[in-house]
Amino acid sequence: MSNDLMSLRRRELLRVLPFLALFGLTLFFYKGDYEQFVGAVNILSIVSLVALFGHYVRKTLFPYANLQVAWTQAVMNQNMPAAVVYVAKIAFLFGLIWLAASFITPRAANAASEPSAKAKRYLPVLKTAIDKHWPAAPMRHYIAGQIEQESAGWQERAEMKGKENGKLREYGFGLGQITIAYNKDGSERFNNFVAAQRLFRDWKWEDRFNVKYQLGYAVVTNRGNFRQVSRLMRDDDSRWRASLVAYNAGYGTVLQRRALAIRSGVPADRWVGGLDQVAMGYEQKLLYGRPLVKMRNEYPRIICDVRAPKYRRWV
């Protein structure tokens, strides 16, 4: 391979590296939240395209100004005019990127902080359910964040069919993903819809996508979990995070982690910096290709820190 070709490939690689670094940082900071990650990548992609556009605009307007030559002249030969050209070109490119970021980023942030049209359709129903079943609920916007998380964006007919080794492991449906779990032989391990029917006696399976009942069940279940963990946790935020884990993985998971935290000398009366720092051995196994412990720890974090804040004034 000729030296010129190697030099060309090296320059091409150096041009790509900053974008790869940005992509890697984005992946690190938004890990665990696919929607936030995609939104951030979209912003980076647009800014990168603007930078590329700016590069070609610069080459068109100032074809005589070669950045590499200007750098060499400025540094190696201490050529002041070349240094001015170099700084001006860099300022021009960064100016275009700054303008793009200033225009795009606030709009993306506003879009992320505003409930979707689908959410706005059902938020009044959720508010009514909370007022009826749990009027004293603290941080009630956490329930809205949970509904968004569970239903992939307020899809009242959302269905999840979890399979393991080709067999149906669980079936969840609706805004709160009411779950029916199955044993390996196909028999039911538990059926939360039966529990829901005890609360709403006229709720039939054929009408399982009824939004009023779905949201009512989510509120009542969260209320029960919150009351169970209240005596264990130090404040309402920790109570909520623990109760969300109970909703997602069962109250037994909270009790097991609490017992392990006590034995390990880890704070057992809070979730963040406490129960999220310990895990049972079986939680290290993979579920749907991901570590179970990671999925359980991400669940309250994504709901409370990412999804719920935008609903604070809506419920």
Side-chain angles (χ1 to χ4, degrees), residues 145-169:
Q146 180 190 34
I147 297 301
E148 179 185 318
Q149 173 72 13
E150 288 282 355
S151 62
W154 296 85
Q155 302 297 322
E156 76 278 7
R157 289 184 171 270
E159 292 182 285
M160 189 277 291
K161 297 179 180 179
K163 292 185 177 181
E164 198 169 32
N165 298 323
K167 293 184 178 181
L168 187 64
R169 181 182 182 274

PDB file of all heavy atoms in Angstrom, residues 145-169:
ATOM      1  N   GLY A 145     -45.631   8.691  34.447  1.00  0.00           N
ATOM      2  CA  GLY A 145     -44.375   8.223  33.872  1.00  0.00           C
ATOM      3  C   GLY A 145     -44.343   6.714  33.742  1.00  0.00           C
ATOM      4  O   GLY A 145     -43.817   6.167  32.763  1.00  0.00           O
ATOM      5  N   GLN A 146     -44.919   6.036  34.716  1.00  0.00           N
ATOM      6  CA  GLN A 146     -44.980   4.575  34.668  1.00  0.00           C
ATOM      7  C   GLN A 146     -45.854   4.098  33.508  1.00  0.00           C
ATOM      8  O   GLN A 146     -45.502   3.143  32.804  1.00  0.00           O
ATOM      9  CB  GLN A 146     -45.534   4.046  35.989  1.00  0.00           C
ATOM     10  CG  GLN A 146     -45.653   2.536  36.050  1.00  0.00           C
ATOM     11  CD  GLN A 146     -46.424   2.082  37.276  1.00  0.00           C
ATOM     12  OE1 GLN A 146     -47.348   2.760  37.725  1.00  0.00           O
ATOM     13  NE2 GLN A 146     -46.039   0.945  37.829  1.00  0.00           N
ATOM     14  N   ILE A 147     -46.978   4.757  33.295  1.00  0.00           N
ATOM     15  CA  ILE A 147     -47.869   4.369  32.198  1.00  0.00           C
ATOM     16  C   ILE A 147     -47.165   4.538  30.855  1.00  0.00           C
ATOM     17  O   ILE A 147     -47.251   3.678  29.972  1.00  0.00           O
ATOM     18  CB  ILE A 147     -49.170   5.203  32.233  1.00  0.00           C
ATOM     19  CG1 ILE A 147     -49.953   4.932  33.528  1.00  0.00           C
ATOM     20  CG2 ILE A 147     -50.026   4.911  31.013  1.00  0.00           C
ATOM     21  CD1 ILE A 147     -50.347   3.481  33.727  1.00  0.00           C
ATOM     22  N   GLU A 148     -46.444   5.644  30.704  1.00  0.00           N
ATOM     23  CA  GLU A 148     -45.690   5.849  29.461  1.00  0.00           C
ATOM     24  C   GLU A 148     -44.677   4.729  29.254  1.00  0.00           C
ATOM     25  O   GLU A 148     -44.521   4.208  28.143  1.00  0.00           O
ATOM     26  CB  GLU A 148     -44.971   7.193  29.500  1.00  0.00           C
ATOM     27  CG  GLU A 148     -44.144   7.467  28.255  1.00  0.00           C
ATOM     28  CD  GLU A 148     -43.329   8.746  28.351  1.00  0.00           C
ATOM     29  OE1 GLU A 148     -43.866   9.760  28.841  1.00  0.00           O
ATOM     30  OE2 GLU A 148     -42.150   8.726  27.945  1.00  0.00           O
ATOM     31  N   GLN A 149     -43.983   4.362  30.323  1.00  0.00           N
ATOM     32  CA  GLN A 149     -42.964   3.317  30.237  1.00  0.00           C
ATOM     33  C   GLN A 149     -43.584   1.961  29.915  1.00  0.00           C
ATOM     34  O   GLN A 149     -43.100   1.232  29.045  1.00  0.00           O
ATOM     35  CB  GLN A 149     -42.197   3.240  31.565  1.00  0.00           C
ATOM     36  CG  GLN A 149     -41.213   2.088  31.673  1.00  0.00           C
ATOM     37  CD  GLN A 149     -39.989   2.269  30.808  1.00  0.00           C
ATOM     38  OE1 GLN A 149     -39.741   3.352  30.294  1.00  0.00           O
ATOM     39  NE2 GLN A 149     -39.221   1.207  30.636  1.00  0.00           N
ATOM     40  N   GLU A 150     -44.642   1.629  30.608  1.00  0.00           N
ATOM     41  CA  GLU A 150     -45.248   0.307  30.457  1.00  0.00           C
ATOM     42  C   GLU A 150     -45.893   0.110  29.088  1.00  0.00           C
ATOM     43  O   GLU A 150     -45.855  -0.988  28.533  1.00  0.00           O
ATOM     44  CB  GLU A 150     -46.304   0.086  31.552  1.00  0.00           C
ATOM     45  CG  GLU A 150     -45.736  -0.137  32.944  1.00  0.00           C
ATOM     46  CD  GLU A 150     -45.200  -1.552  33.129  1.00  0.00           C
ATOM     47  OE1 GLU A 150     -45.356  -2.377  32.219  1.00  0.00           O
ATOM     48  OE2 GLU A 150     -44.620  -1.830  34.193  1.00  0.00           O
ATOM     49  N   SER A 151     -46.487   1.166  28.560  1.00  0.00           N
ATOM     50  CA  SER A 151     -47.308   1.018  27.354  1.00  0.00           C
ATOM     51  C   SER A 151     -46.632   1.513  26.090  1.00  0.00           C
ATOM     52  O   SER A 151     -47.294   1.684  25.065  1.00  0.00           O
ATOM     53  CB  SER A 151     -48.627   1.774  27.538  1.00  0.00           C
ATOM     54  OG  SER A 151     -48.379   3.162  27.715  1.00  0.00           O
ATOM     55  N   ALA A 152     -45.311   1.747  26.169  1.00  0.00           N
ATOM     56  CA  ALA A 152     -44.563   2.231  25.001  1.00  0.00           C
ATOM     57  C   ALA A 152     -45.186   3.499  24.437  1.00  0.00           C
ATOM     58  O   ALA A 152     -45.376   3.638  23.227  1.00  0.00           O
ATOM     59  CB  ALA A 152     -44.483   1.147  23.926  1.00  0.00           C
ATOM     60  N   GLY A 153     -45.528   4.430  25.339  1.00  0.00           N
ATOM     61  CA  GLY A 153     -46.046   5.721  24.889  1.00  0.00           C
ATOM     62  C   GLY A 153     -47.553   5.815  24.847  1.00  0.00           C
ATOM     63  O   GLY A 153     -48.122   6.282  23.863  1.00  0.00           O
ATOM     64  N   TRP A 154     -48.218   5.355  25.908  1.00  0.00           N
ATOM     65  CA  TRP A 154     -49.665   5.512  26.065  1.00  0.00           C
ATOM     66  C   TRP A 154     -50.468   4.780  24.984  1.00  0.00           C
ATOM     67  O   TRP A 154     -51.464   5.280  24.481  1.00  0.00           O
ATOM     68  CB  TRP A 154     -50.043   6.996  26.101  1.00  0.00           C
ATOM     69  CG  TRP A 154     -49.481   7.721  27.278  1.00  0.00           C
ATOM     70  CD1 TRP A 154     -48.242   8.277  27.382  1.00  0.00           C
ATOM     71  CD2 TRP A 154     -50.118   7.955  28.547  1.00  0.00           C
ATOM     72  NE1 TRP A 154     -48.059   8.840  28.619  1.00  0.00           N
ATOM     73  CE2 TRP A 154     -49.200   8.666  29.358  1.00  0.00           C
ATOM     74  CE3 TRP A 154     -51.384   7.648  29.065  1.00  0.00           C
ATOM     75  CZ2 TRP A 154     -49.494   9.061  30.657  1.00  0.00           C
ATOM     76  CZ3 TRP A 154     -51.677   8.049  30.361  1.00  0.00           C
ATOM     77  CH2 TRP A 154     -50.744   8.740  31.139  1.00  0.00           C
ATOM     78  N   GLN A 155     -50.011   3.588  24.647  1.00  0.00           N
ATOM     79  CA  GLN A 155     -50.743   2.745  23.699  1.00  0.00           C
ATOM     80  C   GLN A 155     -51.685   1.836  24.490  1.00  0.00           C
ATOM     81  O   GLN A 155     -51.246   0.877  25.119  1.00  0.00           O
ATOM     82  CB  GLN A 155     -49.765   1.910  22.866  1.00  0.00           C
ATOM     83  CG  GLN A 155     -48.745   2.724  22.093  1.00  0.00           C
ATOM     84  CD  GLN A 155     -49.382   3.623  21.056  1.00  0.00           C
ATOM     85  OE1 GLN A 155     -50.354   3.245  20.397  1.00  0.00           O
ATOM     86  NE2 GLN A 155     -48.834   4.820  20.898  1.00  0.00           N
ATOM     87  N   GLU A 156     -52.969   2.150  24.464  1.00  0.00           N
ATOM     88  CA  GLU A 156     -53.913   1.398  25.300  1.00  0.00           C
ATOM     89  C   GLU A 156     -54.061  -0.058  24.863  1.00  0.00           C
ATOM     90  O   GLU A 156     -54.494  -0.912  25.637  1.00  0.00           O
ATOM     91  CB  GLU A 156     -55.284   2.085  25.323  1.00  0.00           C
ATOM     92  CG  GLU A 156     -56.129   1.912  24.076  1.00  0.00           C
ATOM     93  CD  GLU A 156     -55.758   2.884  22.963  1.00  0.00           C
ATOM     94  OE1 GLU A 156     -54.754   3.614  23.114  1.00  0.00           O
ATOM     95  OE2 GLU A 156     -56.472   2.918  21.948  1.00  0.00           O
ATOM     96  N   ARG A 157     -53.664  -0.355  23.627  1.00  0.00           N
ATOM     97  CA  ARG A 157     -53.728  -1.734  23.140  1.00  0.00           C
ATOM     98  C   ARG A 157     -52.336  -2.377  23.041  1.00  0.00           C
ATOM     99  O   ARG A 157     -52.158  -3.358  22.313  1.00  0.00           O
ATOM    100  CB  ARG A 157     -54.437  -1.790  21.787  1.00  0.00           C
ATOM    101  CG  ARG A 157     -55.933  -1.516  21.891  1.00  0.00           C
ATOM    102  CD  ARG A 157     -56.653  -1.674  20.564  1.00  0.00           C
ATOM    103  NE  ARG A 157     -58.091  -1.604  20.763  1.00  0.00           N
ATOM    104  CZ  ARG A 157     -58.875  -2.650  21.007  1.00  0.00           C
ATOM    105  NH1 ARG A 157     -58.347  -3.863  21.053  1.00  0.00           N
ATOM    106  NH2 ARG A 157     -60.174  -2.507  21.186  1.00  0.00           N
ATOM    107  N   ALA A 158     -51.401  -1.818  23.770  1.00  0.00           N
ATOM    108  CA  ALA A 158     -50.050  -2.395  23.776  1.00  0.00           C
ATOM    109  C   ALA A 158     -50.105  -3.816  24.338  1.00  0.00           C
ATOM    110  O   ALA A 158     -50.765  -4.079  25.345  1.00  0.00           O
ATOM    111  CB  ALA A 158     -49.118  -1.537  24.619  1.00  0.00           C
ATOM    112  N   GLU A 159     -49.404  -4.716  23.674  1.00  0.00           N
ATOM    113  CA  GLU A 159     -49.336  -6.105  24.123  1.00  0.00           C
ATOM    114  C   GLU A 159     -47.882  -6.556  24.141  1.00  0.00           C
ATOM    115  O   GLU A 159     -47.127  -6.263  23.222  1.00  0.00           O
ATOM    116  CB  GLU A 159     -50.150  -7.022  23.210  1.00  0.00           C
ATOM    117  CG  GLU A 159     -51.653  -6.788  23.283  1.00  0.00           C
ATOM    118  CD  GLU A 159     -52.420  -7.758  22.403  1.00  0.00           C
ATOM    119  OE1 GLU A 159     -52.406  -7.560  21.173  1.00  0.00           O
ATOM    120  OE2 GLU A 159     -53.021  -8.709  22.932  1.00  0.00           O
ATOM    121  N   MET A 160     -47.518  -7.263  25.177  1.00  0.00           N
ATOM    122  CA  MET A 160     -46.175  -7.812  25.300  1.00  0.00           C
ATOM    123  C   MET A 160     -46.289  -9.322  25.469  1.00  0.00           C
ATOM    124  O   MET A 160     -46.953  -9.809  26.384  1.00  0.00           O
ATOM    125  CB  MET A 160     -45.450  -7.197  26.501  1.00  0.00           C
ATOM    126  CG  MET A 160     -43.960  -7.546  26.577  1.00  0.00           C
ATOM    127  SD  MET A 160     -43.610  -9.144  27.340  1.00  0.00           S
ATOM    128  CE  MET A 160     -44.053  -8.823  29.036  1.00  0.00           C
ATOM    129  N   LYS A 161     -45.670 -10.039  24.547  1.00  0.00           N
ATOM    130  CA  LYS A 161     -45.664 -11.497  24.623  1.00  0.00           C
ATOM    131  C   LYS A 161     -44.218 -11.952  24.792  1.00  0.00           C
ATOM    132  O   LYS A 161     -43.473 -12.082  23.825  1.00  0.00           O
ATOM    133  CB  LYS A 161     -46.291 -12.101  23.370  1.00  0.00           C
ATOM    134  CG  LYS A 161     -47.768 -11.721  23.192  1.00  0.00           C
ATOM    135  CD  LYS A 161     -48.368 -12.306  21.921  1.00  0.00           C
ATOM    136  CE  LYS A 161     -49.828 -11.896  21.783  1.00  0.00           C
ATOM    137  NZ  LYS A 161     -50.447 -12.433  20.540  1.00  0.00           N
ATOM    138  N   GLY A 162     -43.828 -12.135  26.052  1.00  0.00           N
ATOM    139  CA  GLY A 162     -42.459 -12.527  26.351  1.00  0.00           C
ATOM    140  C   GLY A 162     -42.267 -14.020  26.199  1.00  0.00           C
ATOM    141  O   GLY A 162     -42.974 -14.816  26.829  1.00  0.00           O
ATOM    142  N   LYS A 163     -41.312 -14.389  25.355  1.00  0.00           N
ATOM    143  CA  LYS A 163     -41.057 -15.805  25.111  1.00  0.00           C
ATOM    144  C   LYS A 163     -39.661 -16.186  25.576  1.00  0.00           C
ATOM    145  O   LYS A 163     -38.723 -15.392  25.495  1.00  0.00           O
ATOM    146  CB  LYS A 163     -41.217 -16.130  23.628  1.00  0.00           C
ATOM    147  CG  LYS A 163     -42.653 -16.017  23.131  1.00  0.00           C
ATOM    148  CD  LYS A 163     -42.786 -16.470  21.686  1.00  0.00           C
ATOM    149  CE  LYS A 163     -44.239 -16.418  21.232  1.00  0.00           C
ATOM    150  NZ  LYS A 163     -44.391 -16.886  19.829  1.00  0.00           N
ATOM    151  N   GLU A 164     -39.539 -17.403  26.061  1.00  0.00           N
ATOM    152  CA  GLU A 164     -38.262 -17.943  26.507  1.00  0.00           C
ATOM    153  C   GLU A 164     -38.154 -19.374  25.999  1.00  0.00           C
ATOM    154  O   GLU A 164     -39.034 -20.198  26.252  1.00  0.00           O
ATOM    155  CB  GLU A 164     -38.181 -17.904  28.036  1.00  0.00           C
ATOM    156  CG  GLU A 164     -36.776 -18.017  28.572  1.00  0.00           C
ATOM    157  CD  GLU A 164     -36.721 -17.710  30.060  1.00  0.00           C
ATOM    158  OE1 GLU A 164     -37.693 -18.002  30.775  1.00  0.00           O
ATOM    159  OE2 GLU A 164     -35.693 -17.177  30.510  1.00  0.00           O
ATOM    160  N   ASN A 165     -37.104 -19.622  25.235  1.00  0.00           N
ATOM    161  CA  ASN A 165     -36.919 -20.940  24.612  1.00  0.00           C
ATOM    162  C   ASN A 165     -38.114 -21.321  23.745  1.00  0.00           C
ATOM    163  O   ASN A 165     -38.538 -22.484  23.703  1.00  0.00           O
ATOM    164  CB  ASN A 165     -36.685 -22.015  25.681  1.00  0.00           C
ATOM    165  CG  ASN A 165     -35.433 -21.756  26.497  1.00  0.00           C
ATOM    166  OD1 ASN A 165     -34.422 -21.288  25.969  1.00  0.00           O
ATOM    167  ND2 ASN A 165     -35.498 -22.045  27.795  1.00  0.00           N
ATOM    168  N   GLY A 166     -38.666 -20.317  23.068  1.00  0.00           N
ATOM    169  CA  GLY A 166     -39.757 -20.565  22.141  1.00  0.00           C
ATOM    170  C   GLY A 166     -41.120 -20.699  22.783  1.00  0.00           C
ATOM    171  O   GLY A 166     -42.121 -20.859  22.077  1.00  0.00           O
ATOM    172  N   LYS A 167     -41.200 -20.638  24.106  1.00  0.00           N
ATOM    173  CA  LYS A 167     -42.481 -20.788  24.802  1.00  0.00           C
ATOM    174  C   LYS A 167     -42.898 -19.465  25.432  1.00  0.00           C
ATOM    175  O   LYS A 167     -42.060 -18.692  25.891  1.00  0.00           O
ATOM    176  CB  LYS A 167     -42.380 -21.871  25.882  1.00  0.00           C
ATOM    177  CG  LYS A 167     -42.169 -23.271  25.326  1.00  0.00           C
ATOM    178  CD  LYS A 167     -42.176 -24.306  26.447  1.00  0.00           C
ATOM    179  CE  LYS A 167     -42.019 -25.718  25.896  1.00  0.00           C
ATOM    180  NZ  LYS A 167     -42.039 -26.737  26.983  1.00  0.00           N
ATOM    181  N   LEU A 168     -44.213 -19.241  25.454  1.00  0.00           N
ATOM    182  CA  LEU A 168     -44.744 -18.011  26.025  1.00  0.00           C
ATOM    183  C   LEU A 168     -44.487 -17.994  27.527  1.00  0.00           C
ATOM    184  O   LEU A 168     -44.937 -18.873  28.262  1.00  0.00           O
ATOM    185  CB  LEU A 168     -46.244 -17.896  25.746  1.00  0.00           C
ATOM    186  CG  LEU A 168     -46.911 -16.572  26.153  1.00  0.00           C
ATOM    187  CD1 LEU A 168     -46.333 -15.412  25.343  1.00  0.00           C
ATOM    188  CD2 LEU A 168     -48.424 -16.652  25.949  1.00  0.00           C
ATOM    189  N   ARG A 169     -43.745 -16.992  27.976  1.00  0.00           N
ATOM    190  CA  ARG A 169     -43.415 -16.867  29.396  1.00  0.00           C
ATOM    191  C   ARG A 169     -44.398 -15.960  30.119  1.00  0.00           C
ATOM    192  O   ARG A 169     -44.755 -16.208  31.268  1.00  0.00           O
ATOM    193  CB  ARG A 169     -41.994 -16.316  29.544  1.00  0.00           C
ATOM    194  CG  ARG A 169     -41.518 -16.162  30.973  1.00  0.00           C
ATOM    195  CD  ARG A 169     -40.122 -15.554  31.021  1.00  0.00           C
ATOM    196  NE  ARG A 169     -39.641 -15.446  32.384  1.00  0.00           N
ATOM    197  CZ  ARG A 169     -39.902 -14.418  33.186  1.00  0.00           C
ATOM    198  NH1 ARG A 169     -40.643 -13.414  32.745  1.00  0.00           N
ATOM    199  NH2 ARG A 169     -39.430 -14.397  34.424  1.00  0.00           N
TER     200      ARG A 169
END
